[in-house]
Amino acid sequence: EAQVTQNPRYLITVTGKKLTVTCSQNMNHEYMSWYRQDPGLGLRQIYYSMNVEVTDKGDVPEGYKVSRKEKRNFPLILESPSPNQTSLYFCASSQDRRNYGYTFGSGTRLTVV
Amino acid sequence: DAKTTQPPSMDCAEGRAANLPCNHSTISGNEYVYWYRQIHSQGPQYIIHGLKNNETNEMASLIITEDRKSSTLILPHATLRDTAVYYCIVRSGSRLTFGEGTQLTVNP
């Protein structure tokens, strides 16, 4: 089944403890992206990647890192999480720049205490 | 990417057509119109997209005006499961910028 898989689905962590949220897609998509969703602020893009080894900042990149060493994986790294990074995170992938829809993962609900 | 404007909420009776409008008056010639929906806190789901012609798939129809400054998503026979937030997005590159969307509530 074609899908975007995020792990974990739920995570509670403490301030400053490095964590990684994994994202993997099995559709051979070039484009991948991370979003966070917060009440009243909607979905905001954190980082995106147009292909292997090509990443760029979205609208809210501060406090996050990403890597794209292989096509299928696009992990989101929080080096030193803070409570304001408590959010619902979504990974998404797409085959083409403009003429293809993004497929989203099921989300990761992160709580930083 | 061009900005979109959608009504914050709409209601629809079950079994009737739901027509969701979107204004994108600053759209440029190479930008596509995309529609997604999000049910509760699930990942957004792709519905349909188009450039300038009307489009139809198994989920919905997309009507784009001739000047491309607005569009309408049509769910022909809305069901309770179509209750969701619907996002209209104009996309020119790899970025997808979500606005506030329209909360569609389908009533029995």
Side-chain angles (χ1 to χ4, degrees), chain A residues 35 37 59 97-98 100 102, chain B residues 34 36 91 94-96:
Chain A
Y35 289 83
Q37 186 169 30
D59 299 313
R97 290 186 179 217
R98 299 174 291 139
Y100 212 81
Y102 265 93
Chain B
Y34 279 78
Y36 285 78
R91 176 185 179 190
S94 58
R95 295 186 62 174
L96 209 58

Side-chain angles (χ1 to χ4, degrees), chain A:
Chain A
E1 180 188 351
Q3 60 186 357
V4 176
T5 303
Q6 296 178 229
N7 279 296
R9 290 293 307 277
Y10 301 91
L11 179 60
I12 301 175
T13 190
V14 296
T15 299
K17 186 177 180 182
K18 180 180 179 180
L19 67 91
T20 300
V21 183
T22 64
C23 174
S24 179
Q25 50 94 3
N26 61 359
M27 297 165 281
N28 202 37
H29 285 170
E30 290 85 8
Y31 294 90
M32 297 187 75
S33 185
W34 276 102
Y35 289 83
R36 62 177 288 174
Q37 186 169 30
D38 304 288
L41 297 174
L43 281 146
R44 295 178 293 169
Q45 191 175 48
I46 303 170
Y47 269 95
Y48 64 99
S49 168
M50 292 186 284
N51 216 323
V52 176
E53 302 293 358
V54 180
T55 63
D56 211 343
K57 296 178 180 179
D59 299 313
V60 288
E62 294 77 20
Y64 304 94
K65 287 174 60 177
V66 293
S67 69
R68 190 90 183 274
K69 292 184 171 57
E70 49 189 340
K71 203 172 193 179
R72 63 183 291 123
N73 296 321
F74 190 45
L76 180 69
I77 303 156
L78 284 72
E79 295 270 4
S80 182
S82 62
N84 64 12
Q85 292 178 298
T86 293
S87 187
L88 178 58
Y89 292 86
F90 292 104
C91 179
S93 73
S94 173
Q95 187 173 44
D96 188 75
R97 290 186 179 217
R98 299 174 291 139
N99 195 28
Y100 212 81
Y102 265 93
T103 300
F104 281 80
S106 299
T108 295
R109 189 169 291 279
L110 172 66
T111 302
V112 184
V113 298

Side-chain angles (χ1 to χ4, degrees), chain B residues 66-101:
Chain B
E66 193 167 339
D67 63 8
R68 301 208 329 120
K69 293 184 177 182
S70 66
S71 61
T72 301
L73 178 75
I74 301 172
L75 308 179
H77 306 287
T79 71
L80 299 179
R81 282 194 292 260
D82 291 322
T83 292
V85 177
Y86 287 78
Y87 297 98
C88 168
I89 300 161
V90 172
R91 176 185 179 190
S92 61
S94 58
R95 295 186 62 174
L96 209 58
T97 302
F98 287 80
E100 296 299 316

Side-chain angles (χ1 to χ4, degrees), chain B residues 15-103:
Chain B
R16 305 297 292 268
N19 298 290
L20 291 90
C22 179
N23 286 320
H24 31 80
S25 58
T26 59
I27 193 170
S28 61
N30 64 349
E31 291 181 316
Y32 282 75
V33 179
Y34 279 78
W35 283 84
Y36 285 78
R37 73 181 183 184
Q38 186 176 27
I39 297 172
H40 197 46
S41 294
Q42 299 177 22
Q45 177 189 24
Y46 164 80
I47 301 173
I48 199 167
H49 74 280
L51 184 62
K52 51 186 174 183
N53 297 322
N54 298 337
E55 303 287 345
T56 295
N57 63 21
E58 64 279 3
M59 287 182 69
S61 294
L62 174 60
I63 309 298
I64 303 174
T65 57
E66 193 167 339
D67 63 8
R68 301 208 329 120
K69 293 184 177 182
S70 66
S71 61
T72 301
L73 178 75
I74 301 172
L75 308 179
H77 306 287
T79 71
L80 299 179
R81 282 194 292 260
D82 291 322
T83 292
V85 177
Y86 287 78
Y87 297 98
C88 168
I89 300 161
V90 172
R91 176 185 179 190
S92 61
S94 58
R95 295 186 62 174
L96 209 58
T97 302
F98 287 80
E100 296 299 316
T102 295
Q103 171 66 59

